[in-house]
Amino acid sequence: MSVALEPTTAHGNRPGVPGAPEPGKPTHSARGTAAGKAAAALRRTPIGVWIAAALLAFLVLAAVVPSLLLRQDPYIIDPAAAFTAPSAEHWFGTDQNGRDVFSRVVAGTGQSLLLGLAATAIGLVLGGLLGITAGVSGKWLDSAICRFVEILFAFPGLLLALIVIAVSGTGVVTAAIAVGVGTAPGYARMLRTQTLQVIDAPYVETALSLGRSRAHILWHTIVPNVIRPLFVLATLGVGQAIVWASSLSFLGLGAQPPAAEWGAMLADGRNYLQVAWWIAAFPGIFITLAALTTTLVGRHLQQRLEAEV
Amino acid sequence: MKHRKAPWAPTAGAAVVLLALTGCGGAASAQPQDDTFVFATGKDISCLDPHVNGDMPQASIAANYLDSLVSQDAEGKIHPWLAESWEVSEDGLTYTFKVRDDVYFTDGTKFTAEAVKANLDHMVDPDTQSGTAGGYLKPYESTEVVDETTAVVTLNRPYAAFLEVLAQPFLGIESPTALKRPQAENCNSPVGTGPYKIVDYIPQSKVTLVRNEDYNSAPPFAQHQGPAHIKNLEWQIVPEDSTRYGLLRAGQVDALDLMPSVHFAEAEADKNVELVLQDRPGNPTNLMLNTTRAPFDDIRVRKAFLHSVYVEAGINSVYFGTVTQAGGPLASTTGFYSPDFEDVYQPDPAKAAQLLDEAGWTVRDEEGYRTKDGKRLTVVLPYTPAAWPTAHAALITQLQASAKQAGFDLRIENQDFASSSEKYNNFAYDLRAGYWNTNTADVLRIVFSTEYMKSAGFVPNGSGFSNPEFDRIVNDALATDDPAVREKLYYRAQQIVSENALQLPLYNQASQLAVRKDRFANLTLEPSLSLPYIYDVTAVENR
C-alpha cells in the first residue's frame, strides 16, 4: 500500500526540498533487533529533517509555554516606541503601535499551530467520514458521495473556506472550521481509495470468514488500517492549514485585533514594508518556517511508513 | 513627448519580465505621456453617480465630470455656475433660478430648467438611496419649471445652507436623459456637462475619462475657460496604501489621494513630488457612540469612554502628526466653529474610573475588564479595514488598548463593507467609525438631529441622539441670515453635542494629495469640499 498517499493537498512541495530523501528510496536495509532498527532509522534521517525537527520543537515550545520566551507583553502599546528597528532590546523590532514584534511572533505561535492542528483535525474527521462511508458502502451512496466531493473539488480549497466564513462570520473558531472544510474533499477522496484497498485485503476476508459482524470489521479492522497512514497525511496537512489560516487572518477574516496572529501581523505590516520591513517580515518568516518544518517532518514520517510496509 | 524606441527596449523588456515574475497584474504602461493624467484614488467607488449613496470617492471623481448649479469660492461665498442668477423669497422658502441657455451635456442633451428639476427629484427619490445629497435635501419640496431657463424650487422650511450644499459635487447636475436609465447603468456611466466625460469604468480597477472638447461652463474658481488642458484622465482605484505611493514614486501614476502618512517625510524630501494638503470642513473623523443601546445609553459610560482613550499619542505615532487632532463636533475649518470644545474630554483615568463606578461597572474580571451583574463592559466596533487608511486601523488598535486600561472590552470586528454598512444603518453597534465632510455648520443637524436617524441609504445620525432642544436650535439656525444669531445658535448646538458625549472626535478630514511636479503642474482643489480638480492641470514643458 502506498499509492493512495500522494499528498495532493500538501502543495506539491515534494521535489527539491533540500535534505529531503529521494522519493521511493528503499529504506529496508535495517535488520536485526528492534533497537538496531531504531538506531538505523535515526542514522538514515537526513540532516534537513533534523533541522526541521529542531525548529518545530522550538515552535511547539513557544506554543506550549510562551512565557519562557516572551520578552515583553505582546499587547502593551507604546506609541513613543513605534517603528523601532531590530535591536538588542527588541530582537524583531517594534510595530506601528510600539509592540514588541518578537513577543508577538512568540505569542502568535500557539494560535497558529493550534489553528493548523484544529483545522486539520476538522478536515480529517469530515473527510474521513465521507471517504470511509463511500469506500465501504459501495453502489449509489459511494457514487453520491463521490459526485458531492467532486463538486467541492470544483472550488479551490481557500474559496471553500471563504464561503464558510461568509456564511458564519469572522473569528478564530470559524477560521478553523473554514479551513477544515476547505481541506476535507482532499482527505475524503484519499480515504475512499484507501478504504477500497483495505477492503480487498486478505485480513478483511479472513475476518469475514470468521463470521465477524460488519460493524465489528469496520471498526476493528478497516478503520485502524485506514487511520494509520492518515496521521502521517495529517502532519503534511498541518503545514498547509497553517498557511490557509494565516491567509484568512491576513484578509481580516480570522483573528481579530489586537490578537497576535501571524497572518494578521503580516497584514498590519504590509503597508510599512518600505519603512519598517521587520513588522511584516518576521511573521512572514515564521509562517513559512511553520509550514516548511511540519511538512518536512511529515514527509519524512510518510516515507518511513511507506518503507516499513 | 515622443515615443522613444530602441534605447529603452532592454529596460522595458526587463520590466515586463520583472512584472511577470512578481505576478503583478495590470498593464505595464510604457513611457508616461503628457496628454494623459493618471490619478490614483485610495478608496473604492461604489457607484460613479454621486447622487446614489454619497461617499467621498464619488464626489472626488464627480468634481471632474459634473458641473453644479452654483459654485463656492475659497472664502465660502456663493457664485453663479450653471445657474446665472437666483432670487430667494422673503420667507426663505422659494428659490428662483435663472439657468444658462448655452450648455449641453456630453450625451447631447441640452441643459435646461427641466434638468434642474430632474436632478433634484432624482436625489430625493427613495429609490436613489441617496444618503448624502438626498439627506441634504430633506427640506426640498418640489421644483416648478416656468420656462426653459427658469426653475422655481420650493422648500418646506427655511434652509440657509441650501446654496452651499448645491455647490457640492454630491449635488452635481447630470443629464436627465441619462438619469432615466436603470440605476445600475447610470452608476457605471453617468453623464454631466463637466470638463471630462466618462468613457469606461471597470469596477474596483479604473475609470477612463476623456476631455469634453465643447466645454464652455467652467466655474468662477477655475483659472481658465474652454476645454481642459490635459486630454485624457485615468482614475485608478488603488486601495493599498504602499502600492499607491509606490506607483507615484515609480512614475506610473501622476497623482494620488489619501497620501499615506508613513511616507510624508519621504515625499516632502522628494524634489519630483509636491503635496497638496487642505483640512476639510464638517464633522471630523470620529467614533460615534450608539446611545440607543447599553452600555452607551448611559451618559456616564459614554463620558468614561471619552476620558479613557489616548487619541493624541496615537495621532503623533501612526499619523506622524500629518493630521490635525479634533476635539469638538466641528472641524476647525468649518464656519461657526468654536475652539471651546476641543479639550472637554482629556484622557483622565481617575475620572473614567469614577464615572464607571457610579454607573455600576464596579467589578473587574480576571482579564481586567469591568463587569456589572456578571456582564462584561463590552463595546463592539464593526470595522472594514479596506475602507480606511492603514494608520486609522493602527489608531483604533491603540484606542482599544487604552480603553482596556479603563476596563472597556473594545471589540474591533473586521468585516467586509456590506456587513458593516448593514450594521451601521441599523444601530447594531456600540461604536461606529465615520466622518461627514460638508461646507457648513449645518453638518450638526445632519449628524446629530432626530430627523437623520432614518435615511434612505447611509444613516448620518449614528449616535441615535434625539433631543428636542437641539433639533429646534439647528433648524432655527437655518431660518436666519443673521451671522450673529447663527453663531450663537451653533455655539449652543456644539455645546449640547459635547455635553452629551455623543462621539469621540479623532482628527480633521483632509485632502492629502501628492502630485508628480516633474510632469504636471497646477493640481488644485475645488473649494466646496477640497477635492482634486484636474481641469486646470497643465503638463510641465521640457521634462
Side-chain angles (χ1 to χ4, degrees), chain B residues 165-470:
Chain B
V165 297
L166 275 180
Q168 295 186 14
F170 282 120
L171 287 86
I173 302 296
E174 299 180 39
S175 160
T177 319
L179 283 179
K180 284 190 191 119
R181 301 172 298 171
Q183 179 165 312
E185 201 180 332
N186 198 60
C187 272
N188 286 338
S189 57
V191 178
T193 57
Y196 287 92
K197 59 182 172 188
I198 290 162
V199 288
D200 191 36
Y201 172 42
I202 308 170
Q204 301 185 331
S205 173
K206 67 174 179 183
V207 190
T208 308
L209 301 99
V210 68
R211 176 168 63 194
N212 173 7
E213 300 292 350
D214 303 321
Y215 190 55
N216 64 349
S217 48
F221 61 78
Q223 295 168 9
H224 76 285
Q225 291 291 314
H229 297 305
I230 306 297
K231 183 162 180 256
N232 302 300
L233 174 58
E234 198 173 300
W235 206 268
Q236 291 190 358
I237 298 155
V238 189
E240 201 77 351
D241 279 352
S242 55
T243 311
R244 195 165 63 253
Y245 180 68
L247 287 172
L248 182 85
R249 293 273 289 182
Q252 294 192 328
V253 304
D254 301 306
L256 56 78
D257 63 7
L258 298 175
M259 172 68 200
S261 41
V262 69
H263 296 299
F264 256 66
E266 189 185 21
E268 276 166 352
D270 189 331
K271 64 175 172 36
N272 290 329
V273 173
E274 184 191 351
L275 296 180
V276 181
L277 310 172
Q278 174 66 50
D279 277 13
R280 294 185 188 134
N283 182 227
T285 315
N286 64 77
L287 295 182
M288 195 81 91
L289 280 58
N290 180 2
T291 65
T292 67
R293 73 178 200 184
F296 283 150
D297 55 349
D298 185 333
I299 188 170
R300 293 167 297 190
V301 182
R302 296 203 296 273
K303 286 185 170 171
F305 180 75
L306 299 192
H307 280 303
S308 71
V309 289
Y310 291 82
V311 178
E312 190 180 358
I315 283 179
N316 288 337
S317 63
V318 290
Y319 279 94
F320 301 91
T322 59
V323 289
T324 315
Q325 194 186 342
L330 290 180
S332 48
T333 45
T334 321
F336 303 114
Y337 155 85
S338 165
D340 291 5
F341 309 103
E342 289 290 352
D343 301 323
V344 176
Y345 297 99
Q346 292 290 324
D348 188 343
K351 194 156 189 185
Q354 185 201 333
L355 283 161
L356 288 174
D357 284 341
E358 282 172 20
W361 297 91
T362 45
V363 185
R364 291 231 188 200
D365 65 14
E366 70 281 0
E367 288 182 63
Y369 297 115
R370 283 181 183 261
T371 61
K372 177 174 163 181
D373 307 330
K375 208 173 159 280
R376 186 182 271 187
L377 182 52
T378 300
V379 288
V380 177
L381 165 61
Y383 188 69
T384 302
W388 294 94
T390 313
H392 188 272
L395 176 62
I396 61 165
T397 314
Q398 296 201 6
L399 301 180
Q400 179 184 46
S402 45
K404 185 181 176 181
Q405 302 294 319
F408 281 95
D409 179 13
L410 200 180
R411 296 229 178 113
I412 301 166
E413 294 185 348
N414 287 338
Q415 49 207 280
D416 61 40
F417 191 71
S419 312
S420 62
S421 295
E422 198 194 322
K423 296 195 176 88
Y424 279 16
N425 289 342
N426 292 292
F427 291 96
Y429 54 85
D430 298 302
L431 289 165
R432 181 180 106 167
Y435 53 79
W436 195 283
N437 292 302
T438 188
N439 48 358
T440 143
D442 187 38
V443 69
L444 294 168
R445 184 179 60 96
I446 309 258
V447 178
F448 299 105
S449 79
T450 311
E451 196 180 359
Y452 288 85
M453 280 175 67
K454 282 204 187 97
S455 170
F458 187 76
V459 174
N461 181 353
S463 66
F465 182 62
S466 180
N467 177 314
E469 186 201 352
F470 179 85

Side-chain angles (χ1 to χ4, degrees), chain A residues 241-265:
Chain A
I242 289 173
V243 172
W244 281 15
S246 301
S247 310
L248 291 179
S249 291
F250 180 86
L251 296 172
L253 302 171
Q256 299 295 314
E261 202 277 344
W262 294 342
M265 292 168 70

Side-chain angles (χ1 to χ4, degrees), chain A residues 256-284:
Chain A
Q256 299 295 314
E261 202 277 344
W262 294 342
M265 292 168 70
L266 194 61
D268 273 356
R270 74 190 192 281
N271 274 315
Y272 300 113
L273 265 181
Q274 287 137 309
V275 287
W277 54 269
W278 52 89
I279 302 176
F282 287 106

Side-chain angles (χ1 to χ4, degrees), chain B residues 35-88:
Chain B
D35 63 353
T36 302
F37 187 79
V38 184
F39 187 88
T41 183
K43 200 173 170 188
D44 194 18
I45 310 168
S46 50
C47 163
L48 295 183
D49 173 1
H51 298 176
V52 177
N53 230 327
D55 195 7
M56 289 308 283
Q58 295 170 279
S60 264
I61 190 164
N64 295 289
Y65 74 87
L66 291 183
D67 291 338
S68 295
L69 215 48
V70 298
S71 72
Q72 188 180 31
D73 64 22
E75 278 76 51
K77 275 194 69 183
I78 301 297
H79 299 276
W81 195 348
L82 289 178
E84 282 177 325
S85 63
W86 53 88
E87 273 169 31
V88 187

